Short mmCIF file of all heavy atoms in Angstrom, two decimals:
data_model
loop_
_atom_site.label_atom_id
_atom_site.label_comp_id
_atom_site.label_asym_id
_atom_site.label_seq_id
_atom_site.Cartn_x
_atom_site.Cartn_y
_atom_site.Cartn_z
N MET A 29 0.85 -1.21 0.00
CA MET A 29 0.00 0.00 0.00
C MET A 29 0.88 1.24 0.00
O MET A 29 1.59 1.51 0.96
CB MET A 29 -0.89 -0.03 1.25
CG MET A 29 -1.80 1.18 1.37
SD MET A 29 -3.35 1.04 0.47
CE MET A 29 -3.99 -0.55 1.04
N ASN A 30 0.86 1.98 -1.10
CA ASN A 30 1.67 3.21 -1.19
C ASN A 30 0.80 4.43 -0.91
O ASN A 30 -0.07 4.77 -1.70
CB ASN A 30 2.28 3.33 -2.59
CG ASN A 30 3.31 2.25 -2.84
OD1 ASN A 30 4.09 1.90 -1.96
ND2 ASN A 30 3.32 1.70 -4.04
N CYS A 31 1.06 5.06 0.21
CA CYS A 31 0.32 6.27 0.55
C CYS A 31 0.96 7.47 -0.14
O CYS A 31 2.17 7.53 -0.31
CB CYS A 31 0.33 6.47 2.07
SG CYS A 31 -0.61 5.21 2.93
N PHE A 32 0.11 8.42 -0.52
CA PHE A 32 0.61 9.65 -1.14
C PHE A 32 1.02 10.62 -0.03
O PHE A 32 0.51 10.55 1.08
CB PHE A 32 -0.48 10.30 -2.00
CG PHE A 32 -0.84 9.48 -3.21
CD1 PHE A 32 -1.86 8.54 -3.16
CD2 PHE A 32 -0.15 9.66 -4.41
CE1 PHE A 32 -2.19 7.79 -4.28
CE2 PHE A 32 -0.48 8.92 -5.53
CZ PHE A 32 -1.50 7.97 -5.46
N PRO A 33 1.93 11.54 -0.33
CA PRO A 33 2.28 12.56 0.66
C PRO A 33 1.10 13.49 0.91
O PRO A 33 0.22 13.63 0.06
CB PRO A 33 3.45 13.31 0.00
CG PRO A 33 3.37 13.01 -1.45
CD PRO A 33 2.71 11.67 -1.57
N GLU A 34 1.08 14.12 2.09
CA GLU A 34 -0.05 14.97 2.47
C GLU A 34 -0.28 16.08 1.45
O GLU A 34 -1.41 16.48 1.19
CB GLU A 34 0.22 15.58 3.85
CG GLU A 34 -0.97 16.39 4.36
CD GLU A 34 -0.77 16.86 5.80
OE1 GLU A 34 -0.06 16.18 6.55
OE2 GLU A 34 -1.32 17.90 6.15
N LEU A 35 0.83 16.57 0.86
CA LEU A 35 0.73 17.64 -0.13
C LEU A 35 -0.17 17.22 -1.29
O LEU A 35 -0.95 18.02 -1.81
CB LEU A 35 2.13 18.00 -0.64
CG LEU A 35 2.17 19.09 -1.72
CD1 LEU A 35 1.73 20.44 -1.15
CD2 LEU A 35 3.57 19.23 -2.29
N THR A 36 -0.05 15.96 -1.69
CA THR A 36 -0.87 15.47 -2.81
C THR A 36 -2.35 15.57 -2.47
O THR A 36 -3.17 15.99 -3.29
CB THR A 36 -0.51 14.01 -3.11
OG1 THR A 36 0.87 13.93 -3.45
CG2 THR A 36 -1.34 13.46 -4.27
N TYR A 37 -2.71 15.26 -1.21
CA TYR A 37 -4.11 15.32 -0.81
C TYR A 37 -4.57 16.78 -0.70
O TYR A 37 -5.73 17.08 -0.94
CB TYR A 37 -4.32 14.60 0.52
CG TYR A 37 -4.02 13.12 0.40
CD1 TYR A 37 -3.00 12.53 1.12
CD2 TYR A 37 -4.76 12.33 -0.47
CE1 TYR A 37 -2.72 11.19 1.01
CE2 TYR A 37 -4.49 11.00 -0.62
CZ TYR A 37 -3.46 10.42 0.13
OH TYR A 37 -3.18 9.11 -0.01
N ALA A 38 -3.64 17.65 -0.32
CA ALA A 38 -3.97 19.07 -0.24
C ALA A 38 -4.29 19.61 -1.64
O ALA A 38 -5.26 20.34 -1.83
CB ALA A 38 -2.81 19.84 0.37
N VAL A 39 -3.45 19.23 -2.62
CA VAL A 39 -3.68 19.66 -4.00
C VAL A 39 -4.97 19.03 -4.52
O VAL A 39 -5.76 19.67 -5.21
CB VAL A 39 -2.48 19.28 -4.89
CG1 VAL A 39 -2.74 19.66 -6.35
CG2 VAL A 39 -1.21 19.95 -4.39
N TYR A 40 -5.19 17.77 -4.15
CA TYR A 40 -6.41 17.06 -4.56
C TYR A 40 -7.64 17.76 -3.99
O TYR A 40 -8.65 17.94 -4.68
CB TYR A 40 -6.33 15.61 -4.08
CG TYR A 40 -7.60 14.83 -4.26
CD1 TYR A 40 -8.01 14.43 -5.53
CD2 TYR A 40 -8.39 14.47 -3.17
CE1 TYR A 40 -9.17 13.70 -5.71
CE2 TYR A 40 -9.55 13.74 -3.33
CZ TYR A 40 -9.94 13.36 -4.60
OH TYR A 40 -11.09 12.64 -4.77
N ALA A 41 -7.54 18.19 -2.73
CA ALA A 41 -8.66 18.88 -2.07
C ALA A 41 -8.95 20.20 -2.77
O ALA A 41 -10.09 20.64 -2.85
CB ALA A 41 -8.34 19.11 -0.60
N ASP A 42 -7.89 20.83 -3.29
CA ASP A 42 -8.04 22.09 -4.02
C ASP A 42 -8.65 21.87 -5.40
O ASP A 42 -9.04 22.82 -6.07
CB ASP A 42 -6.68 22.77 -4.20
CG ASP A 42 -6.32 23.62 -3.00
OD1 ASP A 42 -7.22 23.93 -2.21
OD2 ASP A 42 -5.14 23.99 -2.87
N GLY A 43 -8.68 20.60 -5.84
CA GLY A 43 -9.18 20.30 -7.18
C GLY A 43 -8.16 20.63 -8.25
O GLY A 43 -8.50 20.81 -9.42
N GLU A 44 -6.88 20.74 -7.85
CA GLU A 44 -5.83 21.16 -8.78
C GLU A 44 -5.01 19.97 -9.29
O GLU A 44 -4.07 20.15 -10.06
CB GLU A 44 -4.87 22.13 -8.06
CG GLU A 44 -5.55 23.36 -7.52
CD GLU A 44 -5.74 24.44 -8.57
OE1 GLU A 44 -4.87 24.56 -9.44
OE2 GLU A 44 -6.76 25.12 -8.54
N LEU A 45 -5.37 18.77 -8.86
CA LEU A 45 -4.61 17.59 -9.26
C LEU A 45 -5.02 17.17 -10.67
O LEU A 45 -6.20 17.19 -11.00
CB LEU A 45 -4.88 16.46 -8.26
CG LEU A 45 -3.73 15.50 -7.95
CD1 LEU A 45 -2.53 16.26 -7.41
CD2 LEU A 45 -4.19 14.47 -6.96
N PRO A 46 -4.04 16.82 -11.54
CA PRO A 46 -4.38 16.33 -12.88
C PRO A 46 -5.30 15.11 -12.78
O PRO A 46 -5.14 14.30 -11.85
CB PRO A 46 -3.02 15.94 -13.48
CG PRO A 46 -2.00 16.67 -12.67
CD PRO A 46 -2.59 16.88 -11.31
N ALA A 47 -6.23 14.99 -13.71
CA ALA A 47 -7.25 13.94 -13.65
C ALA A 47 -6.64 12.55 -13.46
O ALA A 47 -7.15 11.74 -12.70
CB ALA A 47 -8.10 13.98 -14.92
N GLU A 48 -5.52 12.32 -14.13
CA GLU A 48 -4.89 11.01 -14.06
C GLU A 48 -4.43 10.70 -12.64
O GLU A 48 -4.64 9.61 -12.11
CB GLU A 48 -3.68 11.01 -15.01
CG GLU A 48 -3.24 9.63 -15.46
CD GLU A 48 -2.09 9.73 -16.44
OE1 GLU A 48 -2.27 10.34 -17.51
OE2 GLU A 48 -1.02 9.22 -16.11
N GLU A 49 -3.83 11.73 -12.02
CA GLU A 49 -3.33 11.56 -10.65
C GLU A 49 -4.48 11.51 -9.65
O GLU A 49 -4.45 10.76 -8.69
CB GLU A 49 -2.38 12.72 -10.31
CG GLU A 49 -1.18 12.29 -9.50
CD GLU A 49 -0.18 13.43 -9.34
OE1 GLU A 49 0.08 14.13 -10.33
OE2 GLU A 49 0.30 13.61 -8.22
N ALA A 50 -5.50 12.32 -9.91
CA ALA A 50 -6.66 12.33 -9.03
C ALA A 50 -7.33 10.96 -9.00
O ALA A 50 -7.79 10.50 -7.96
CB ALA A 50 -7.66 13.39 -9.50
N ALA A 51 -7.35 10.30 -10.14
CA ALA A 51 -7.94 8.97 -10.22
C ALA A 51 -7.15 7.98 -9.36
O ALA A 51 -7.72 7.13 -8.68
CB ALA A 51 -7.98 8.50 -11.67
N GLN A 52 -5.82 8.12 -9.37
CA GLN A 52 -4.97 7.26 -8.55
C GLN A 52 -5.21 7.53 -7.07
O GLN A 52 -5.25 6.62 -6.25
CB GLN A 52 -3.50 7.49 -8.90
CG GLN A 52 -3.11 6.92 -10.25
CD GLN A 52 -1.67 7.28 -10.63
OE1 GLN A 52 -1.02 8.04 -9.95
NE2 GLN A 52 -1.20 6.70 -11.73
N VAL A 53 -5.36 8.82 -6.73
CA VAL A 53 -5.60 9.20 -5.34
C VAL A 53 -6.94 8.62 -4.89
O VAL A 53 -7.05 8.04 -3.81
CB VAL A 53 -5.59 10.74 -5.20
CG1 VAL A 53 -6.15 11.16 -3.85
CG2 VAL A 53 -4.18 11.27 -5.36
N GLU A 54 -7.97 8.76 -5.74
CA GLU A 54 -9.29 8.26 -5.37
C GLU A 54 -9.26 6.75 -5.17
O GLU A 54 -9.89 6.21 -4.26
CB GLU A 54 -10.30 8.62 -6.47
CG GLU A 54 -10.91 10.00 -6.22
CD GLU A 54 -11.57 10.56 -7.48
OE1 GLU A 54 -11.89 9.79 -8.39
OE2 GLU A 54 -11.74 11.79 -7.53
N GLU A 55 -8.49 6.08 -6.03
CA GLU A 55 -8.37 4.63 -5.92
C GLU A 55 -7.73 4.27 -4.58
O GLU A 55 -8.15 3.32 -3.91
CB GLU A 55 -7.51 4.11 -7.08
CG GLU A 55 -7.70 2.63 -7.33
CD GLU A 55 -6.89 2.19 -8.55
OE1 GLU A 55 -6.92 2.92 -9.56
OE2 GLU A 55 -6.24 1.14 -8.47
N HIS A 56 -6.71 5.04 -4.21
CA HIS A 56 -6.03 4.77 -2.95
C HIS A 56 -6.94 5.09 -1.76
O HIS A 56 -6.97 4.35 -0.78
CB HIS A 56 -4.73 5.58 -2.85
CG HIS A 56 -4.01 5.34 -1.56
ND1 HIS A 56 -3.30 4.19 -1.31
CD2 HIS A 56 -3.92 6.09 -0.44
CE1 HIS A 56 -2.80 4.26 -0.08
NE2 HIS A 56 -3.15 5.40 0.46
N LEU A 57 -7.69 6.17 -1.87
CA LEU A 57 -8.57 6.59 -0.77
C LEU A 57 -9.64 5.53 -0.51
O LEU A 57 -10.06 5.33 0.64
CB LEU A 57 -9.25 7.93 -1.10
CG LEU A 57 -8.32 9.15 -1.10
CD1 LEU A 57 -9.11 10.40 -1.44
CD2 LEU A 57 -7.64 9.32 0.24
N ALA A 58 -10.06 4.85 -1.57
CA ALA A 58 -11.08 3.82 -1.43
C ALA A 58 -10.56 2.65 -0.60
O ALA A 58 -11.33 1.93 0.02
CB ALA A 58 -11.53 3.34 -2.81
N ALA A 59 -9.23 2.47 -0.61
CA ALA A 59 -8.64 1.32 0.05
C ALA A 59 -7.97 1.67 1.37
O ALA A 59 -7.72 0.79 2.19
CB ALA A 59 -7.62 0.66 -0.88
N CYS A 60 -7.67 2.94 1.60
CA CYS A 60 -6.88 3.33 2.77
C CYS A 60 -7.68 4.31 3.62
O CYS A 60 -7.83 5.47 3.25
CB CYS A 60 -5.56 3.95 2.31
SG CYS A 60 -4.48 4.40 3.67
N SER A 61 -8.20 3.84 4.75
CA SER A 61 -9.05 4.69 5.59
C SER A 61 -8.24 5.81 6.24
O SER A 61 -8.76 6.89 6.51
CB SER A 61 -9.74 3.85 6.66
OG SER A 61 -8.78 3.22 7.47
N ARG A 62 -6.95 5.57 6.48
CA ARG A 62 -6.11 6.59 7.11
C ARG A 62 -5.99 7.81 6.20
O ARG A 62 -6.16 8.95 6.62
CB ARG A 62 -4.72 6.02 7.40
CG ARG A 62 -3.95 6.79 8.44
CD ARG A 62 -2.65 6.07 8.76
NE ARG A 62 -1.70 6.17 7.64
CZ ARG A 62 -0.81 7.15 7.52
NH1 ARG A 62 -0.73 8.08 8.43
NH2 ARG A 62 0.01 7.19 6.50
N CYS A 63 -5.71 7.56 4.92
CA CYS A 63 -5.56 8.65 3.96
C CYS A 63 -6.92 9.29 3.66
O CYS A 63 -7.00 10.48 3.38
CB CYS A 63 -4.93 8.13 2.67
SG CYS A 63 -3.17 7.80 2.86
N ARG A 64 -7.98 8.45 3.72
CA ARG A 64 -9.32 9.00 3.46
C ARG A 64 -9.66 10.04 4.53
O ARG A 64 -10.22 11.09 4.23
CB ARG A 64 -10.35 7.87 3.47
CG ARG A 64 -11.68 8.30 2.86
CD ARG A 64 -12.46 7.10 2.39
NE ARG A 64 -12.69 6.15 3.47
CZ ARG A 64 -12.54 4.84 3.37
NH1 ARG A 64 -12.18 4.31 2.24
NH2 ARG A 64 -12.75 4.05 4.40
N ARG A 65 -9.29 9.72 5.78
CA ARG A 65 -9.56 10.67 6.85
C ARG A 65 -8.74 11.95 6.65
O ARG A 65 -9.22 13.05 6.87
CB ARG A 65 -9.23 10.04 8.21
CG ARG A 65 -10.26 10.37 9.27
CD ARG A 65 -10.07 9.50 10.50
NE ARG A 65 -10.01 8.07 10.16
CZ ARG A 65 -9.37 7.15 10.87
NH1 ARG A 65 -8.71 7.50 11.94
NH2 ARG A 65 -9.40 5.90 10.51
N LEU A 66 -7.49 11.77 6.23
CA LEU A 66 -6.62 12.93 5.99
C LEU A 66 -7.19 13.79 4.86
O LEU A 66 -7.30 15.01 5.00
CB LEU A 66 -5.22 12.43 5.63
CG LEU A 66 -4.21 13.50 5.21
CD1 LEU A 66 -3.93 14.47 6.35
CD2 LEU A 66 -2.90 12.84 4.77
N ALA A 67 -7.56 13.14 3.77
CA ALA A 67 -8.09 13.88 2.62
C ALA A 67 -9.41 14.56 2.98
O ALA A 67 -9.67 15.68 2.55
CB ALA A 67 -8.29 12.92 1.44
N ASP A 68 -10.22 13.87 3.80
CA ASP A 68 -11.49 14.45 4.23
C ASP A 68 -11.27 15.74 5.00
O ASP A 68 -11.91 16.76 4.75
CB ASP A 68 -12.25 13.45 5.11
CG ASP A 68 -13.14 12.54 4.28
OD1 ASP A 68 -13.20 12.75 3.05
OD2 ASP A 68 -13.76 11.64 4.85
N SER A 69 -10.35 15.69 5.96
CA SER A 69 -10.12 16.87 6.80
C SER A 69 -9.52 18.00 5.98
O SER A 69 -9.82 19.16 6.21
CB SER A 69 -9.22 16.51 7.99
OG SER A 69 -7.94 16.14 7.53
N LEU A 70 -8.68 17.67 5.00
CA LEU A 70 -8.10 18.69 4.13
C LEU A 70 -9.19 19.33 3.29
O LEU A 70 -9.18 20.54 3.04
CB LEU A 70 -7.03 18.08 3.23
CG LEU A 70 -5.70 17.78 3.92
CD1 LEU A 70 -4.81 16.97 3.01
CD2 LEU A 70 -5.01 19.06 4.33
N GLN A 71 -10.15 18.50 2.84
CA GLN A 71 -11.23 19.03 2.01
C GLN A 71 -12.12 19.96 2.83
O GLN A 71 -12.57 20.99 2.35
CB GLN A 71 -12.07 17.88 1.44
CG GLN A 71 -12.02 17.86 -0.07
CD GLN A 71 -12.27 16.48 -0.63
OE1 GLN A 71 -12.66 15.57 0.09
NE2 GLN A 71 -12.06 16.30 -1.91
N VAL A 72 -12.37 19.59 4.08
CA VAL A 72 -13.18 20.43 4.97
C VAL A 72 -12.46 21.76 5.19
O VAL A 72 -13.07 22.83 5.13
CB VAL A 72 -13.42 19.72 6.31
CG1 VAL A 72 -14.00 20.68 7.34
CG2 VAL A 72 -14.36 18.54 6.11
N GLU A 73 -11.15 21.69 5.42
CA GLU A 73 -10.35 22.90 5.63
C GLU A 73 -10.40 23.80 4.40
O GLU A 73 -10.58 25.00 4.51
CB GLU A 73 -8.89 22.52 5.90
CG GLU A 73 -8.52 22.54 7.36
CD GLU A 73 -7.09 22.08 7.56
OE1 GLU A 73 -6.19 22.71 6.99
OE2 GLU A 73 -6.89 21.07 8.24
N THR A 74 -10.20 23.18 3.24
CA THR A 74 -10.18 23.95 1.99
C THR A 74 -11.52 24.63 1.76
O THR A 74 -11.58 25.79 1.38
CB THR A 74 -9.86 23.02 0.81
OG1 THR A 74 -8.61 22.38 1.06
CG2 THR A 74 -9.77 23.79 -0.49
N ARG A 75 -12.61 23.87 2.04
CA ARG A 75 -13.94 24.44 1.80
C ARG A 75 -14.21 25.60 2.77
O ARG A 75 -14.76 26.63 2.39
CB ARG A 75 -15.00 23.34 1.98
CG ARG A 75 -16.04 23.38 0.89
CD ARG A 75 -16.85 22.11 0.86
NE ARG A 75 -16.09 20.96 0.35
CZ ARG A 75 -16.43 19.70 0.54
NH1 ARG A 75 -17.49 19.40 1.24
NH2 ARG A 75 -15.72 18.72 0.04
N ALA A 76 -13.80 25.41 4.03
CA ALA A 76 -13.99 26.46 5.03
C ALA A 76 -13.21 27.72 4.64
O ALA A 76 -13.70 28.83 4.78
CB ALA A 76 -13.54 25.96 6.40
N LEU A 77 -12.01 27.49 4.11
CA LEU A 77 -11.17 28.61 3.71
C LEU A 77 -11.80 29.35 2.53
O LEU A 77 -11.85 30.58 2.51
CB LEU A 77 -9.79 28.07 3.31
CG LEU A 77 -8.66 29.09 3.25
CD1 LEU A 77 -8.33 29.59 4.65
CD2 LEU A 77 -7.41 28.45 2.65
N GLN A 78 -12.31 28.58 1.56
CA GLN A 78 -12.93 29.20 0.39
C GLN A 78 -14.18 29.98 0.80
O GLN A 78 -14.44 31.08 0.29
CB GLN A 78 -13.30 28.13 -0.64
CG GLN A 78 -12.08 27.65 -1.42
CD GLN A 78 -12.38 26.42 -2.25
OE1 GLN A 78 -13.42 25.79 -2.08
NE2 GLN A 78 -11.46 26.04 -3.12
N GLN A 79 -14.96 29.42 1.74
CA GLN A 79 -16.17 30.11 2.18
C GLN A 79 -15.81 31.39 2.93
O GLN A 79 -16.48 32.40 2.79
CB GLN A 79 -17.01 29.18 3.06
CG GLN A 79 -17.85 28.23 2.23
CD GLN A 79 -18.52 27.17 3.06
OE1 GLN A 79 -18.35 27.13 4.27
NE2 GLN A 79 -19.26 26.29 2.42
N ALA A 80 -14.74 31.32 3.72
CA ALA A 80 -14.30 32.50 4.47
C ALA A 80 -13.87 33.60 3.51
O ALA A 80 -14.19 34.77 3.71
CB ALA A 80 -13.15 32.12 5.39
N LEU A 81 -13.18 33.21 2.44
CA LEU A 81 -12.73 34.18 1.45
C LEU A 81 -13.92 34.81 0.73
O LEU A 81 -13.95 36.01 0.49
CB LEU A 81 -11.80 33.51 0.43
CG LEU A 81 -10.39 33.19 0.96
CD1 LEU A 81 -9.62 32.39 -0.08
CD2 LEU A 81 -9.64 34.45 1.30
N GLN A 82 -14.91 33.96 0.39
CA GLN A 82 -16.09 34.47 -0.31
C GLN A 82 -16.89 35.39 0.60
O GLN A 82 -17.40 36.42 0.17
CB GLN A 82 -16.97 33.30 -0.78
CG GLN A 82 -16.42 32.68 -2.06
CD GLN A 82 -17.09 31.37 -2.39
OE1 GLN A 82 -18.00 30.93 -1.68
NE2 GLN A 82 -16.65 30.71 -3.44
N ALA A 83 -17.00 35.02 1.88
CA ALA A 83 -17.74 35.84 2.83
C ALA A 83 -17.05 37.19 3.00
O ALA A 83 -17.70 38.22 3.13
CB ALA A 83 -17.83 35.13 4.17
N ASP A 84 -15.72 37.16 2.97
CA ASP A 84 -14.94 38.37 3.09
C ASP A 84 -15.23 39.32 1.93
O ASP A 84 -15.43 40.51 2.11
CB ASP A 84 -13.45 38.00 3.07
CG ASP A 84 -12.73 38.60 4.26
OD1 ASP A 84 -13.37 38.75 5.32
OD2 ASP A 84 -11.54 38.93 4.12
N GLU A 85 -15.29 38.75 0.71
CA GLU A 85 -15.55 39.57 -0.47
C GLU A 85 -16.96 40.14 -0.43
O GLU A 85 -17.19 41.28 -0.78
CB GLU A 85 -15.37 38.71 -1.73
CG GLU A 85 -13.91 38.63 -2.15
CD GLU A 85 -13.73 37.60 -3.25
OE1 GLU A 85 -14.64 37.41 -4.06
OE2 GLU A 85 -12.66 36.97 -3.28
N ALA A 86 -17.92 39.30 0.04
CA ALA A 86 -19.32 39.72 0.07
C ALA A 86 -19.53 40.83 1.10
O ALA A 86 -20.40 41.66 0.95
CB ALA A 86 -20.21 38.52 0.39
N ALA A 87 -18.71 40.84 2.13
CA ALA A 87 -18.88 41.81 3.21
C ALA A 87 -18.34 43.18 2.83
O ALA A 87 -18.63 44.16 3.52
CB ALA A 87 -18.19 41.31 4.47
N GLU A 88 -17.58 43.25 1.74
CA GLU A 88 -16.99 44.50 1.29
C GLU A 88 -16.31 45.26 2.43
O GLU A 88 -16.85 46.23 2.93
CB GLU A 88 -18.05 45.39 0.65
CG GLU A 88 -18.49 44.86 -0.70
CD GLU A 88 -19.53 45.77 -1.36
OE1 GLU A 88 -19.38 46.99 -1.29
OE2 GLU A 88 -20.50 45.25 -1.91
N PRO A 89 -15.15 44.78 2.83
CA PRO A 89 -14.44 45.36 3.99
C PRO A 89 -14.10 46.83 3.78
O PRO A 89 -13.94 47.57 4.74
CB PRO A 89 -13.17 44.51 4.11
CG PRO A 89 -13.02 43.84 2.79
CD PRO A 89 -14.42 43.69 2.24
N SER A 90 -14.04 47.28 2.53
CA SER A 90 -13.65 48.68 2.28
C SER A 90 -14.73 49.64 2.80
O SER A 90 -14.44 50.76 3.17
CB SER A 90 -13.42 48.90 0.79
OG SER A 90 -14.60 48.61 0.07
N ALA A 91 -16.00 49.18 2.82
CA ALA A 91 -17.10 50.06 3.22
C ALA A 91 -16.98 50.47 4.68
O ALA A 91 -17.35 51.58 5.04
CB ALA A 91 -18.42 49.35 2.98
N SER A 92 -16.47 49.53 5.51
CA SER A 92 -16.40 49.83 6.94
C SER A 92 -15.16 50.66 7.27
O SER A 92 -14.97 51.08 8.39
CB SER A 92 -16.40 48.54 7.74
OG SER A 92 -15.27 47.77 7.38
N ARG A 93 -14.30 50.86 6.26
CA ARG A 93 -13.05 51.57 6.54
C ARG A 93 -13.09 53.01 6.04
O ARG A 93 -12.10 53.70 6.01
CB ARG A 93 -11.87 50.84 5.89
CG ARG A 93 -11.57 49.52 6.62
CD ARG A 93 -10.29 48.92 6.11
NE ARG A 93 -9.17 49.85 6.23
CZ ARG A 93 -7.97 49.63 5.72
NH1 ARG A 93 -7.73 48.52 5.07
NH2 ARG A 93 -7.00 50.50 5.87
N GLN A 94 -14.27 53.44 5.60
CA GLN A 94 -14.36 54.80 5.09
C GLN A 94 -14.67 55.76 6.23
O GLN A 94 -15.83 56.09 6.51
CB GLN A 94 -15.45 54.88 4.01
CG GLN A 94 -14.96 54.34 2.68
CD GLN A 94 -16.04 54.34 1.62
OE1 GLN A 94 -17.20 54.63 1.94
NE2 GLN A 94 -15.70 54.01 0.41
N ASN A 95 -13.65 56.20 6.88
CA ASN A 95 -13.84 57.20 7.94
C ASN A 95 -13.66 58.58 7.34
O ASN A 95 -12.67 58.84 6.67
CB ASN A 95 -12.82 56.99 9.05
CG ASN A 95 -13.06 55.69 9.78
OD1 ASN A 95 -14.19 55.28 9.99
ND2 ASN A 95 -11.97 54.99 10.13
N PRO A 96 -14.61 59.44 7.57
CA PRO A 96 -14.46 60.81 7.06
C PRO A 96 -13.27 61.48 7.70
O PRO A 96 -13.04 61.33 8.91
CB PRO A 96 -15.78 61.50 7.46
CG PRO A 96 -16.36 60.65 8.56
CD PRO A 96 -15.84 59.27 8.33
N PRO A 97 -12.51 62.23 6.92
CA PRO A 97 -11.33 62.90 7.48
C PRO A 97 -11.76 63.95 8.50
O PRO A 97 -12.71 64.69 8.28
CB PRO A 97 -10.65 63.54 6.26
CG PRO A 97 -11.74 63.63 5.23
CD PRO A 97 -12.66 62.47 5.49
N GLN A 98 -11.07 63.96 9.61
CA GLN A 98 -11.44 64.92 10.64
C GLN A 98 -10.49 66.11 10.60
O GLN A 98 -9.28 65.95 10.56
CB GLN A 98 -11.36 64.27 12.03
CG GLN A 98 -12.48 63.24 12.20
CD GLN A 98 -12.50 62.66 13.60
OE1 GLN A 98 -11.52 62.82 14.35
NE2 GLN A 98 -13.57 62.00 13.96
N SER A 99 -11.06 67.27 10.61
CA SER A 99 -10.24 68.47 10.62
C SER A 99 -9.87 68.81 12.06
O SER A 99 -10.71 68.87 12.92
CB SER A 99 -10.97 69.65 9.97
OG SER A 99 -12.26 69.76 10.53
N ALA A 100 -8.60 69.03 12.28
CA ALA A 100 -8.16 69.29 13.65
C ALA A 100 -7.88 70.78 13.88
O ALA A 100 -7.41 71.45 13.00
CB ALA A 100 -6.91 68.48 13.94
ZN1 LIG B 3 -2.85 5.61 2.47
#
């Protein structure tokens, strides 16, 4: 049983892995519960990160930073 390095699962979670390699990873995940758990947690992390980034964009942080200049 050849496990892939964690980086491979991170790239796989990002959806950036070439289809050929992704197929090999999926095949391995089906057989290896340890890597499946690792890939699962990486996918959860990636999704949470993407949602946080999208929420950040939707919130338009620039709007809350518009303080009128105060004359002293
Ligand atoms: Zn494995």
